[in-house]
Amino acid sequence: MPLARRTDLGDSAYAGLEVDVCGDLQRCLADTLAGGLDFLVAPLAHPRHRRPSAAAASRDPSAPAPAPFARSDLLLNSAQWSSQVVGKTSPWIDADSPSAPYRADSEAALRQELGWAAHLSLHAVLLPPPRLGAANYARIVCQFLGALSHTALWVRVPLVDPASLASAVDACTRRRIHDPFEAWAFLRAACEGHPQLGVCLHVGASLPSDGELARWIGEPVRAIVVAEDAFTTNKRGFPVLPKRHQEFLTSMLRRNVQVPTPAEAAAQAAASTGSRDGWHSTRRRWEYLVYLFRKIPDATEQELVEAGYRDYLQAPLQPLMDNLESATYETFEKDASKYTCYEEAVLACLRDRVTDADAAAGKETVLMVVGAGRGPLVRASLRASERCGRKLRVYAVEKNPNAVITLQSLVAAEGWTNVSVMSSDMRAADPPEKADVLVSELLGSFGDNELSPECLDGAQRFLKDDGVSIPQAYTSYLAPVTCAKLWNDAKAYGDLAHMETPYVVKLHRCSLIADPAEVFTFEHPNHADVVDNSRYAKLRWRREPRSHAATMHGFAGYFDAKLYEGPAGNVHCSIYPPTHTMGPTGEPMFSWFPIYFPLRYPVHVPAGCDVEAHMWRCIGPSKVWYEWSVTAPDVGPIHNVNGRSYWVGL
Amino acid sequence: MPLARRTDLGDSAYAGLEVDVCGDLQRCLADTLAGGLDFLVAPLAHPRHRRPSAAAASRDPSAPAPAPFARSDLLLNSAQWSSQVVGKTSPWIDADSPSAPYRADSEAALRQELGWAAHLSLHAVLLPPPRLGAANYARIVCQFLGALSHTALWVRVPLVDPASLASAVDACTRRRIHDPFEAWAFLRAACEGHPQLGVCLHVGASLPSDGELARWIGEPVRAIVVAEDAFTTNKRGFPVLPKRHQEFLTSMLRRNVQVPTPAEAAAQAAASTGSRDGWHSTRRRWEYLVYLFRKIPDATEQELVEAGYRDYLQAPLQPLMDNLESATYETFEKDASKYTCYEEAVLACLRDRVTDADAAAGKETVLMVVGAGRGPLVRASLRASERCGRKLRVYAVEKNPNAVITLQSLVAAEGWTNVSVMSSDMRAADPPEKADVLVSELLGSFGDNELSPECLDGAQRFLKDDGVSIPQAYTSYLAPVTCAKLWNDAKAYGDLAHMETPYVVKLHRCSLIADPAEVFTFEHPNHADVVDNSRYAKLRWRREPRSHAATMHGFAGYFDAKLYEGPAGNVHCSIYPPTHTMGPTGEPMFSWFPIYFPLRYPVHVPAGCDVEAHMWRCIGPSKVWYEWSVTAPDVGPIHNVNGRSYWVGL
């Protein structure tokens, strides 16, 4: 009974059984698979094997050779070992014990067991929960991460409500001593966020607050163990999870997290005694989890399209330097909600500019679409014109000669006699008359990042003095984020440039550390004496004294554009979460993914500590770029100095 | 009157005159040089030139073209510009002003002036004191650092007693808001400690505590301005400096720091009016500084030898893998104090092992020198034998066949009939009898880092059960340090390996952030059942709540070896500062420089905050290496994981 044949939930379609004792590994694994599970989490060493200290062993050379500490690798074939077994290390190991001999034994055992797991090419090893400051454990993990080829290390982290813990804070490191997250963050920092180091959350009876849970979304959580005590029993005697547990588990399953189910003691015994009682109750909990999994709604068509883009780093477009390809236009044109917004904006604008009487008298409005592409804004404008009975003369200006061909064909096919196509860069175009309305869709994920300000400044010279630009204004927003995967993906390129480049990303395994703050605003037309599109913003995200600790991997950026605001209407187009534009079917507009600005080094944000950052929009003779830096909780380097790593060409 | 023709004080032999106004640059520079000074610190822009905001300028196109903001570069030739003039930026500039137009003007002016300085190829530009959190200023500095070819930027930092300042601390960044050091540390962090960014300390009437002063030694202080108000007048009416000022200045002059003397207002006027009054008083202060400079004792012969090694990174020796060269032996043999220690140790040991009666009866002691090199320990042992009248049979074991030749010649030349030379690795040697005393000098700067433990463990098999090793034990010590130059030199290699390698260094521009703490101890002979030379130490340096903030670039390491301790004497050989071995002439033993363990990223240690670090000595089948990490004030990566960057071959 594998969970389901679903491709949209990735690794979460894999679930396992965790046992503490496993007398007969072959039978135990066979039972697990027969029970519908995909893998077994079993101890790497014989549970009764307690490695005597090296000193003690050497003292008695006449003692019999010790039994091997683990089972023979011949018990299973290598495909089974590598795909159906996750190993777990011995529970007695404490590599940071204050007792030096105990520590030495622990270290030797940990090395032996990890070495064995690597020998078996296991998919993963489940490691014990780290303690804050456990540097020796961190170092051993770090050494293995550098040597392992494909075995992942999952560190078990208990998910406990920090409110229930002593709130002691280490004055020097500002870390909450009893918060398991801090211990995990310590380990991760020591290992520099190695991509093979992941978390296995251990969910018990109590759950932290929603905010505390949310911070795990951006962390590399690979698996969740739902402990027996997390379950309650319903009226019919079946195990069920409380509502918040259900919600959290569902949200993690949607993010491709696997679920090893711990077997209770009886079930463990079952493997060797043949008793089915314990197994029965484990199975019931398992069936409940399957039920939860199946309840997750199937992905919508749009979600399936986007699934391939989730947490995938894309370099932002360079629309001024490059010509878009047909497929890119097609992708953009798919999002009806965006063009509905534009239609509404043009509609309101026309109603405000042309009275009913003037409209009846046949007054024409000159509307210019700059960057007309394959014509969707022309179509939206014409639809608005039709709806309100205001006549238009339309100029469609487009620099891409390939798109101009589509545009000309479209005009001919549709019989749009009032539309003139101009094949020209808007900064150099020379239209025969000035426009009442200038319509453009030049915004990037961060608003101005595809150089809309520079383009519209150039184009506004063919706008009448009282002419209107659609959009009239746009504002960018930034929020500090946890997104271990994105950071590691940028890091994997192995150079500075990729750590100083903003990316367009469908954020999925990403948690915001604070609400997005306003960054830059641009207004059009710009009637300033000296137009200056350079910008500087100092951003401070206030966090409550009782807010939790988090790891910052960079910033998520959004925009909100005011397409048109006037007596006849106020139309925005936005990917800024609080005002995100919704399509007619209730789906969020998907034309723009957010933008991700990475940090070269992850920053630990202590509990209750504000985040402060600086963002600059810089302008040179031939390029525009951003620079950014963090100055609280600590001062970091300035990123992308002089646009050395990333810039947009003018 | 140049300070002196001394080569041992480098840049400190250069002194300049700082003026705020300089009507006639050519004459002002000529006067400066005629007055015995080496360079002039003058404003880059006309002091009356206040750049109107770009907006204001554009509003009035009919206004006359503005006067050029700076003097023509034709006034001086390029050699004069680049060696005799240091530029300073306009005092009104505030690139982080809360007023956006003022900020824009400041930014434009700062760019203009820095651009001008780069055009003139000035040796340096003196920049205004940074403010804590002045990110825009930091960014502009950072942009120029990336573009300048050889002009250095000196940031003026007032040296004030933090006790006199409000002690407010920013809760988020843990930085003392009013401490100018914090503002400097902020700027440096934003610019990633760029090597062309330096400090110009501004010394006024009050001085901070000695500890606060000491932290500047490891910072890149390039120049010190001694302000007029720092001087008092002595009975004869001459300007003099208070004693602590003298001491600080002397210590900085010894570290190659230049001294621009500020001219007072009258002196500045002198340049244009021809009055000599102001100049006279400036000159008297200058003459006093010359007097201070000349009072610095000439370098000793040893100091002159060491001058070339100051703050110079040397890779530690690999004596097991490589054979030392003749010159290296010669260098080591020069240090009489070391061999005096060994002689005393052997003397005490022989007195303890052989009673006077036994000595009189002709009892012989078997003494084995392992790693005899060119024989200095043989000679020291024989001297000790002679002094106490105990007979010796000496075996000199040496693996380097080249050194063996010297040794054999020496034995023949000196007629040492009781010395046998054995050409063999001590780990493989097979001497005809067991030894009473095993003498070795295998210690590195960090004690065990040249594998003395492994060598002596191998050699102890030819030691009698009650035999003695000289040394009997050794302990290593570590202290967190500020040493910007060393860090930058390691960084300049541009790879990970050089940031994870310990270096032997004559520490000079280096300040200890806390007293050295004990790390590892080894004892010989080692009678443990299982000899384990791997080690782990968790180190915590407690700092008083009122200790100052500092920047940590790594750790300085030392050792203290107990050569011999017994009833007849207790002889140590040490470079651990509190017990540093002194030679007969009162000079410290110089055979070993300290060791420097770098950190990949400098760590800001907030005021009153402890430092915690971990150090491991790891052992593999064919190599020994260290790993280290910092865990307070914040958690950093583990360095040299698996010995990936540095190791010593067995």
Side-chain angles (χ1 to χ4, degrees):
Chain A
M1 188 178 71
L3 283 181
R5 295 281 163 239
R6 294 177 66 155
T7 54
D8 60 328
L9 293 173
D11 277 352
S12 59
Y14 296 101
L17 180 76
E18 181 185 353
V19 294
D20 288 335
V21 181
C22 178
D24 179 341
L25 182 69
Q26 284 168 315
R27 183 165 156 197
C28 197
L29 179 60
D31 283 352
T32 303
L33 299 176
L37 290 135
D38 307 284
F39 62 92
L40 177 70
V41 184
L44 283 160
H46 282 309
R48 273 187 295 273
H49 180 83
R50 166 79 171 78
R51 192 190 136 91
S53 82
S58 72
R59 236 173 248 131
D60 184 6
S62 65
F69 80 100
R71 290 165 198 90
S72 162
D73 57 357
L74 298 176
L75 278 180
L76 302 177
N77 63 42
S78 61
Q80 287 175 307
W81 281 120
S82 65
S83 67
Q84 296 171 351
V85 179
V86 166
K88 57 179 183 175
T89 55
S90 297
W92 61 269
I93 290 175
D94 179 4
D96 292 84
S97 164
S99 148
Y102 196 99
R103 196 172 65 224
D105 273 3
S106 295
E107 187 170 330
L110 192 51
R111 285 182 193 286
Q112 194 177 40
E113 296 185 13
L114 285 172
W116 180 242
H119 172 72
L120 299 173
S121 297
L122 297 189
H123 174 59
V125 174
L126 194 51
L127 288 168
R131 282 201 314 269
L132 186 60
N136 204 37
Y137 174 67
R139 182 184 64 105
I140 299 164
V141 167
C142 208
Q143 286 184 336
F144 270 85
L145 286 169
L148 289 170
S149 47
H150 53 265
T151 301
L153 300 184
W154 294 348
V155 178
R156 197 189 294 263
V157 179
L159 205 53
V160 279
D161 188 353
S164 71
L165 302 169
S167 63
V169 170
D170 180 296
C172 243
T173 62
R174 300 191 286 180
R175 305 213 172 209
R176 294 185 61 182
I177 293 165
H178 303 287
D179 183 352
F181 175 87
E182 299 273 21
W184 153 247
F186 175 97
L187 177 64
R188 193 243 313 274
C191 301
E192 294 183 86
H194 196 287
Q196 274 165 273
L197 181 65
V199 169
C200 173
L201 288 179
H202 194 94
V203 174
S206 80
L207 273 190
S209 70
D210 290 349
E212 306 262 352
L213 289 175
R215 70 176 158 177
W216 287 106
I217 291 173
E219 297 287 344
V221 177
R222 303 276 173 252
I224 294 185
V225 168
V226 186
E228 200 190 332
D229 67 353
F231 287 86
T232 55
T233 306
N234 70 4
K235 278 178 282 183
R236 291 162 54 214
F238 285 92
V240 293
L241 285 173
K243 190 145 176 47
R244 287 190 63 235
H245 281 70
Q246 290 180 38
E247 286 167 0
F248 177 64
L249 206 62
T250 299
S251 80
M252 293 311 270
L253 288 172
R254 292 182 84 142
R255 289 178 173 87
N256 302 349
V257 171
Q258 307 178 32
V259 190
T261 308
E264 61 208 284
Q268 293 157 19
S272 45
T273 63
S275 140
R276 309 306 289 173
D277 293 350
W279 177 249
H280 179 70
S281 117
T282 297
R283 168 133 192 146
R284 283 211 166 158
R285 295 204 307 279
W286 162 238
E287 282 167 354
Y288 177 77
L289 293 175
V290 170
Y291 155 78
L292 269 192
F293 183 85
R294 295 215 167 130
K295 255 190 12 182
I296 298 173
D298 283 342
T300 63
E301 197 183 329
Q302 178 56 25
E303 281 171 347
L304 283 176
V305 168
E306 289 177 358
Y309 293 98
R310 282 178 182 165
D311 295 327
Y312 175 78
L313 299 171
Q314 290 178 275
L317 292 173
Q318 291 260 11
L320 258 69
M321 289 170 64
D322 307 331
N323 282 325
L324 300 186
E325 290 159 11
S326 183
T328 312
Y329 285 117
E330 189 176 288
T331 306
F332 289 150
E333 290 165 17
K334 263 189 190 157
D335 192 353
S337 50
K338 178 167 85 173
Y339 298 108
T340 307
C341 289
Y342 271 92
E343 183 179 330
E344 294 301 321
V346 172
L347 185 73
C349 177
L350 289 178
R351 282 190 172 136
D352 282 345
R353 283 187 76 85
V354 183
T355 62
D356 286 342
D358 282 351
K363 180 177 174 179
E364 282 188 336
T365 298
V366 179
L367 183 144
M368 209 169 283
V369 178
V370 289
R374 308 198 308 182
L377 288 184
V378 173
R379 190 184 294 276
S381 302
L382 292 174
R383 264 200 308 260
S385 144
E386 207 167 297
R387 279 171 64 194
C388 62
R390 267 72 172 167
K391 279 193 184 162
L392 285 184
R393 262 202 316 283
V394 176
Y395 294 90
V397 183
E398 174 55 47
K399 78 164 168 53
N400 179 352
N402 311 304
V404 165
I405 292 170
T406 319
L407 211 47
Q408 285 165 333
S409 317
L410 186 73
V411 169
E414 299 275 353
W416 290 341
T417 51
N418 58 341
V419 177
S420 313
V421 176
M422 301 184 69
S423 177
S424 169
D425 188 309
M426 74 183 78
R427 292 170 294 180
D430 185 21
E433 59 180 327
K434 289 200 167 188
D436 295 283
V437 184
L438 193 65
V439 184
S440 65
E441 51 165 338
L442 304 164
L443 298 177
S445 299
F446 196 52
D448 58 87
N449 63 308
E450 292 181 8
L451 308 197
S452 176
E454 284 71 19
C455 293
L456 292 182
D457 288 347
Q460 74 183 26
R461 77 204 139 77
F462 33 80
L463 189 62
K464 290 179 184 167
D465 285 348
D466 69 339
V468 172
S469 166
I470 293 177
Q472 287 180 311
Y474 35 88
T475 298
S476 49
Y477 295 84
L478 272 186
V481 288
T482 304
C483 51
K485 178 182 183 300
L486 295 182
W487 188 85
N488 263 317
D489 286 356
K491 184 81 183 168
Y493 285 100
D495 58 26
L496 173 66
H498 282 86
M499 301 310 287
E500 297 192 329
T501 296
Y503 300 91
V504 169
V505 189
K506 172 69 188 166
L507 298 175
H508 190 59
R509 297 220 35 181
C510 168
S511 351
L512 301 193
I513 296 171
D515 289 335
E518 205 175 306
V519 189
F520 305 138
T521 294
F522 292 86
E523 298 190 342
H524 297 286
N526 185 340
H527 294 304
D529 290 315
V530 175
V531 169
D532 180 7
N533 290 325
S534 71
R535 292 284 189 281
Y536 167 45
K538 178 176 171 175
L539 305 161
R540 183 138 192 150
W541 292 271
R542 306 264 167 208
R543 295 172 77 238
E544 286 182 33
R546 56 194 194 77
S547 66
H548 52 267
T551 305
M552 175 165 47
H553 292 104
F555 302 94
Y558 311 92
F559 76 89
D560 180 326
K562 181 173 78 179
L563 292 185
Y564 179 77
E565 186 175 344
N570 181 1
V571 186
H572 279 244
C573 174
S574 164
I575 62 162
Y576 167 55
T579 60
H580 199 126
T581 301
M582 291 298 177
T585 58
E587 269 194 351
M589 178 176 69
F590 52 83
S591 280
W592 291 270
F593 295 150
I595 198 162
Y596 165 58
F597 288 88
L599 287 178
R600 285 167 54 194
Y601 315 109
V603 172
H604 180 256
V605 183
C609 199
D610 288 355
V611 175
E612 187 181 82
H614 303 258
M615 176 64 68
W616 291 270
R617 186 179 198 266
C618 308
I619 300 182
S622 63
K623 64 183 191 177
V624 174
W625 70 96
Y626 301 102
E627 300 185 14
W628 60 99
S629 77
V630 172
T631 51
D634 210 349
V635 189
I638 293 170
H639 287 63
N640 196 31
V641 176
N642 287 325
R644 64 186 169 197
S645 296
Y646 156 84
W647 44 269
V648 186
L650 277 169
Chain B
M1 191 177 72
L3 284 182
R5 295 280 161 240
R6 296 177 65 155
T7 52
D8 60 327
L9 292 171
D11 278 351
S12 59
Y14 296 102
L17 180 76
E18 181 185 354
V19 295
D20 287 337
V21 181
C22 179
D24 180 338
L25 181 69
Q26 283 166 316
R27 184 166 154 195
C28 198
L29 180 59
D31 284 352
T32 304
L33 299 177
L37 291 135
D38 306 284
F39 62 92
L40 177 71
V41 184
L44 284 161
H46 283 307
R48 273 186 296 274
H49 180 83
R50 167 80 170 77
R51 192 190 135 92
S53 82
S58 72
R59 239 174 244 127
D60 185 5
S62 66
F69 81 100
R71 292 168 197 88
S72 163
D73 56 358
L74 298 176
L75 278 180
L76 303 176
N77 64 42
S78 61
Q80 289 175 305
W81 281 121
S82 65
S83 67
Q84 297 172 349
V85 180
V86 166
K88 57 179 184 175
T89 56
S90 297
W92 62 269
I93 289 174
D94 180 4
D96 291 84
S97 164
S99 147
Y102 195 98
R103 195 171 66 225
D105 274 3
S106 296
E107 187 170 331
L110 191 52
R111 284 182 194 288
Q112 196 177 37
E113 296 185 12
L114 285 172
W116 180 242
H119 171 71
L120 298 175
S121 296
L122 297 188
H123 173 60
V125 174
L126 194 52
L127 288 169
R131 283 202 312 271
L132 186 60
N136 203 38
Y137 174 66
R139 183 184 63 106
I140 299 164
V141 167
C142 208
Q143 286 185 336
F144 269 85
L145 286 169
L148 288 171
S149 47
H150 53 264
T151 300
L153 300 185
W154 293 349
V155 179
R156 197 190 293 264
V157 179
L159 205 54
V160 279
D161 186 356
S164 70
L165 302 169
S167 62
V169 169
D170 181 297
C172 243
T173 62
R174 299 192 286 180
R175 305 213 171 207
R176 294 185 60 183
I177 293 166
H178 303 287
D179 182 353
F181 175 88
E182 300 273 23
W184 154 248
F186 175 96
L187 176 65
R188 192 245 313 276
C191 300
E192 293 183 86
H194 195 287
Q196 276 165 272
L197 181 65
V199 169
C200 173
L201 288 180
H202 194 95
V203 173
S206 80
L207 275 189
S209 71
D210 290 348
E212 306 262 354
L213 288 175
R215 71 176 156 177
W216 286 105
I217 291 173
E219 296 286 343
V221 177
R222 302 277 172 251
I224 294 186
V225 168
V226 186
E228 202 192 329
D229 67 353
F231 286 86
T232 55
T233 307
N234 70 5
K235 279 179 278 181
R236 290 162 54 213
F238 285 91
V240 293
L241 286 173
K243 191 143 175 49
R244 288 190 61 234
H245 281 70
Q246 289 180 38
E247 286 166 1
F248 178 63
L249 205 61
T250 299
S251 81
M252 293 310 268
L253 287 172
R254 292 182 86 141
R255 286 176 175 89
N256 302 350
V257 171
Q258 307 177 34
V259 191
T261 309
E264 59 207 287
Q268 292 156 19
S272 45
T273 64
S275 140
R276 311 304 291 175
D277 293 352
W279 176 248
H280 179 69
S281 115
T282 297
R283 168 131 191 150
R284 284 209 166 159
R285 296 203 307 280
W286 162 237
E287 282 168 354
Y288 178 76
L289 294 175
V290 171
Y291 155 78
L292 271 192
F293 183 85
R294 295 217 168 130
K295 257 192 7 186
I296 298 174
D298 284 342
T300 63
E301 197 183 329
Q302 179 56 25
E303 278 171 350
L304 282 176
V305 168
E306 288 179 357
Y309 293 97
R310 283 179 182 164
D311 295 326
Y312 175 79
L313 300 172
Q314 290 177 274
L317 294 173
Q318 291 259 10
L320 258 70
M321 289 171 63
D322 307 332
N323 282 326
L324 299 187
E325 290 158 13
S326 181
T328 311
Y329 285 118
E330 189 177 289
T331 305
F332 288 151
E333 291 166 15
K334 264 190 190 158
D335 193 352
S337 49
K338 179 167 85 176
Y339 298 108
T340 306
C341 289
Y342 271 92
E343 185 180 329
E344 295 300 320
V346 172
L347 185 74
C349 177
L350 289 179
R351 283 192 171 135
D352 282 346
R353 283 187 77 85
V354 183
T355 61
D356 287 339
D358 283 351
K363 179 175 177 183
E364 282 189 335
T365 299
V366 178
L367 182 142
M368 208 169 284
V369 178
V370 289
R374 308 199 308 184
L377 288 184
V378 173
R379 190 184 291 276
S381 302
L382 292 175
R383 264 199 309 260
S385 143
E386 207 166 297
R387 281 171 63 192
C388 63
R390 268 72 174 167
K391 280 194 186 164
L392 285 185
R393 260 203 318 282
V394 176
Y395 294 89
V397 182
E398 173 56 46
K399 77 165 169 51
N400 179 353
N402 310 303
V404 165
I405 293 170
T406 319
L407 213 45
Q408 285 165 331
S409 318
L410 187 73
V411 169
E414 299 275 353
W416 290 340
T417 51
N418 57 340
V419 176
S420 314
V421 176
M422 301 186 69
S423 178
S424 169
D425 188 309
M426 73 184 79
R427 291 169 294 182
D430 185 20
E433 59 182 326
K434 287 203 169 189
D436 297 282
V437 184
L438 193 66
V439 183
S440 65
E441 52 166 337
L442 304 163
L443 298 177
S445 300
F446 196 53
D448 58 86
N449 62 306
E450 293 181 8
L451 310 197
S452 176
E454 285 70 19
C455 293
L456 293 182
D457 287 347
Q460 74 182 27
R461 74 202 142 77
F462 32 81
L463 190 62
K464 291 181 183 163
D465 285 348
D466 69 340
V468 173
S469 167
I470 293 179
Q472 286 180 313
Y474 34 88
T475 298
S476 49
Y477 294 84
L478 271 187
V481 287
T482 303
C483 51
K485 178 182 183 299
L486 296 182
W487 187 85
N488 263 317
D489 285 355
K491 185 79 183 168
Y493 286 100
D495 58 26
L496 174 66
H498 282 87
M499 301 309 288
E500 296 190 331
T501 296
Y503 300 92
V504 169
V505 189
K506 171 69 187 165
L507 297 175
H508 189 59
R509 298 220 34 182
C510 168
S511 351
L512 301 193
I513 296 171
D515 290 335
E518 204 175 306
V519 189
F520 304 138
T521 294
F522 292 86
E523 298 188 343
H524 296 286
N526 186 340
H527 294 304
D529 291 313
V530 176
V531 170
D532 180 6
N533 291 324
S534 70
R535 292 286 187 281
Y536 166 45
K538 177 175 172 177
L539 305 162
R540 183 138 190 150
W541 292 271
R542 306 265 167 209
R543 295 172 78 238
E544 287 182 31
R546 56 194 192 77
S547 65
H548 52 266
T551 306
M552 176 168 42
H553 292 105
F555 302 94
Y558 311 92
F559 76 89
D560 181 324
K562 181 172 76 178
L563 292 186
Y564 179 77
E565 188 176 342
N570 181 1
V571 186
H572 279 243
C573 174
S574 163
I575 61 162
Y576 166 55
T579 60
H580 199 125
T581 301
M582 290 300 176
T585 60
E587 268 195 354
M589 180 177 65
F590 53 83
S591 281
W592 290 272
F593 295 150
I595 199 163
Y596 165 59
F597 288 88
L599 287 177
R600 285 166 56 192
Y601 315 109
V603 171
H604 182 256
V605 183
C609 199
D610 288 355
V611 174
E612 188 180 83
H614 304 257
M615 176 64 67
W616 291 269
R617 187 178 198 267
C618 308
I619 299 182
S622 63
K623 63 182 190 177
V624 175
W625 69 97
Y626 301 102
E627 300 186 12
W628 61 98
S629 76
V630 173
T631 51
D634 211 350
V635 188
I638 291 168
H639 288 63
N640 194 32
V641 176
N642 287 326
R644 65 185 167 196
S645 297
Y646 156 84
W647 43 270
V648 187
L650 276 168

